[in-house]
Amino acid sequence: MTRRVGRHARMIVGGLSVLALLASVAGCGALGGSSETPAAEKPANGKVEKSKITLGVLPILDVASVHVAIKKDYFKEEGLEVDLKVIQGGAAAIPGLISGDLDLTFGNWVSFFAAESKEAAKAVEGIKLVSDGYQAKPDMFLIVTTADSPIKSPKDLAGKTIAINTFKNIAELTAKATLEANDVDPASVTFKEFAFPDMQAAIENKTVDAAFMVEPFITRAQRSIGSVTALDAASGPTDNIPIAGYATSGKFAKENPNTVAAFQRAMAKGQKDAADRPTVEPLLQEYAKVDKETASLVHFGEFPTTLDATRLQRVATLMKTYGLLEKEMDVKPMLIAPSS
C-alpha cells in the first residue's frame, strides 16, 4: 500500500518559521560553549568495572543494532554480558536509571532532554548520552488509521484522539510539529497512551481515531488490516529528525567509565551493521515477533554511528518551540565522547 508523506508547510513562531529556525541550528551547531563529557580511558588490563549490565529496550526496529551486537558477540568481545529489559518508552526508562534497575537504556531524545532540564535524575548526577540510535527517514514514523476511517489526510486529524506510546516524547513532539505544518491546531488533538504492540487493536476497536506507529508495527498493520497513512510525522519541519539513542546516569558513568566505553565500542559496530537488511530481518522476526514477509517490508530509518551534538540540538530547539522545554537547552554537556 502506498504510504503518503506529509508535505512541508509553514509554521510561525515569534516571527520565525520552524524550518528557518531548524536550519539556523543546523548551521551554527550546538548552543552554548560547554564541551562533551570527556571520553573514558580504556584500562590497561582491558577489564570493565561491571561485566553484566541491564539495558532497557523496546520491541521495535530502532534497537536492531543492540540485537546485532549481541548476535555478533560485539558486547562479549568487550567483556560485557547484556541483560535486556523491555520498556514502554524513554520516559518510562528514566525511573529505571534513577533506581538502578537499568544501567543503560534506549530512549527518545525528547524524554532524555526533558528529564535533564527538570533535573529529574539529579540524585544520580543527571542523564548522560552514550550512543546514537536512530534517525528518521520517510515512511517509518507514521500516524495511521483503519481503511474504513473517515480520516484520510492530516486535516482530518483535527479534534481527534491519537495513540502514542508515552506522553511528552518524540512522538508527541513530531506529531504536533507536523500537524501545525499542515494547518491543524495541535491543541485540538488528544493524545492517549498505548504500548506500540497494542495500537493496532486500539484503532480497530475505535478506542482511538488514529495511532502514531513505528516499524515493524506500521507494516504489520498495513498487511493485516490495510491501515491508511494520515500523516508522516517525519516530514516538513521534522524531516530527518534524530529520534532516539542510549543513555545512562551520571553516577553510573562516573563509577563505570570503562564499562560505558566498552558499551560504546560494541554499539558503534552494531550501528554500522544494522544498516544491512539481511542482517537485521531475521533478528527482527525474533525480538519483535513479526513474520518473515513483514520483516522484509519494513522501512528502515538511519542508524548513526556518531553521537553529534549539532544534530541533537535540533531536537532541543524544536522542544522549546512546542513548550516541552521551558528555556533554551545546550545538549552538549550531556554527551560522553566515545573512546578512541
Side-chain angles (χ1 to χ4, degrees), residues 266-310:
M267 282 301 300
K269 295 177 183 178
Q271 287 285 111
K272 181 180 179 181
D273 291 356
D276 181 55
R277 290 195 71 109
T279 297
V280 171
E281 286 177 16
L283 296 176
L284 194 59
Q285 295 172 55
E286 294 176 14
Y287 76 82
K289 310 302 181 187
V290 297
D291 60 87
K292 183 176 181 180
E293 186 172 354
T294 296
S296 71
L297 294 172
V298 297
H299 281 73
F300 276 41
E302 294 183 13
F303 294 90
T305 56
T306 59
L307 192 61
D308 181 76
T310 300

Side-chain angles (χ1 to χ4, degrees), residues 24-25 28-34 309-310 313 316-317 328-333:
S24 68
V25 173
C28 69
L31 304 177
S34 300
T310 300
Q313 190 66 45
T317 301
E328 299 287 349
M329 178 181 185
D330 180 9
V331 306
K332 191 182 291 186

Side-chain angles (χ1 to χ4, degrees), residues 47-129:
K47 291 185 178 180
V48 297
E49 299 88 355
K50 187 172 184 180
S51 60
K52 185 174 182 179
I53 58 174
T54 302
L55 173 66
V57 293
L58 283 78
I60 57 179
L61 176 59
D62 311 33
V63 299
S65 54
V66 170
H67 295 274
V68 170
I70 291 173
K71 187 74 172 181
K72 294 194 173 186
D73 288 334
Y74 294 151
F75 289 118
K76 186 177 180 180
E77 290 168 1
E78 294 290 346
L80 295 176
E81 178 185 349
V82 180
D83 179 27
L84 299 182
K85 184 173 182 179
V86 176
I87 57 174
Q88 184 164 327
I94 292 166
L97 290 180
I98 296 171
S99 67
D101 290 340
L102 298 175
D103 297 315
L104 300 103
T105 188
F106 174 83
N108 72 90
W109 300 126
V110 172
S111 294
F112 290 148
F113 296 161
E116 184 68 6
S117 71
K118 295 176 181 178
E119 298 187 336
K122 186 176 181 179
V124 289
E125 302 180 40
I127 295 170
K128 295 298 181 181
L129 311 179

Side-chain angles (χ1 to χ4, degrees), residues 98-294:
I98 296 171
S99 67
D101 290 340
L102 298 175
D103 297 315
L104 300 103
T105 188
F106 174 83
N108 72 90
W109 300 126
V110 172
S111 294
F112 290 148
F113 296 161
E116 184 68 6
S117 71
K118 295 176 181 178
E119 298 187 336
K122 186 176 181 179
V124 289
E125 302 180 40
I127 295 170
K128 295 298 181 181
L129 311 179
V130 299
S131 176
D132 206 332
Y134 210 48
Q135 184 165 319
K137 290 178 69 175
D139 296 330
M140 44 70 63
F141 227 36
L142 303 179
I143 297 178
V144 307
T145 189
T146 54
D148 63 351
S149 170
I151 299 172
K152 305 296 182 185
S153 70
K155 290 186 177 181
D156 296 331
L157 291 166
K160 299 301 190 292
T161 300
I162 301 174
I164 55 174
N165 65 315
T166 59
F167 295 128
K168 299 187 182 301
N169 69 350
I170 190 72
E172 183 175 337
L173 175 66
T174 56
K176 286 181 174 179
T178 48
L179 283 167
E180 187 157 316
N182 283 277
D183 299 320
V184 176
D185 181 3
S188 74
V189 172
T190 300
F191 294 104
K192 193 170 183 178
E193 279 190 333
F194 284 86
F196 284 123
D198 300 330
M199 289 185 182
Q200 181 176 316
I203 57 174
E204 284 187 279
N205 62 30
K206 311 302 181 185
T207 303
V208 294
D209 300 301
F212 190 120
M213 290 189 180
V214 298
E215 293 287 19
F217 303 104
I218 292 170
T219 298
R220 174 188 283 171
Q222 289 175 332
R223 294 188 64 228
S224 61
I225 65 170
S227 63
V228 175
T229 298
L231 177 64
D232 188 328
S235 62
T238 59
D239 184 48
N240 293 317
I241 193 166
I243 295 174
Y246 300 84
T248 189
S249 68
K251 182 175 184 291
F252 185 87
K254 180 186 289 187
E255 295 176 355
N256 304 276
N258 304 317
T259 302
V260 171
F263 178 84
Q264 289 177 313
R265 290 190 293 270
M267 282 301 300
K269 295 177 183 178
Q271 287 285 111
K272 181 180 179 181
D273 291 356
D276 181 55
R277 290 195 71 109
T279 297
V280 171
E281 286 177 16
L283 296 176
L284 194 59
Q285 295 172 55
E286 294 176 14
Y287 76 82
K289 310 302 181 187
V290 297
D291 60 87
K292 183 176 181 180
E293 186 172 354
T294 296

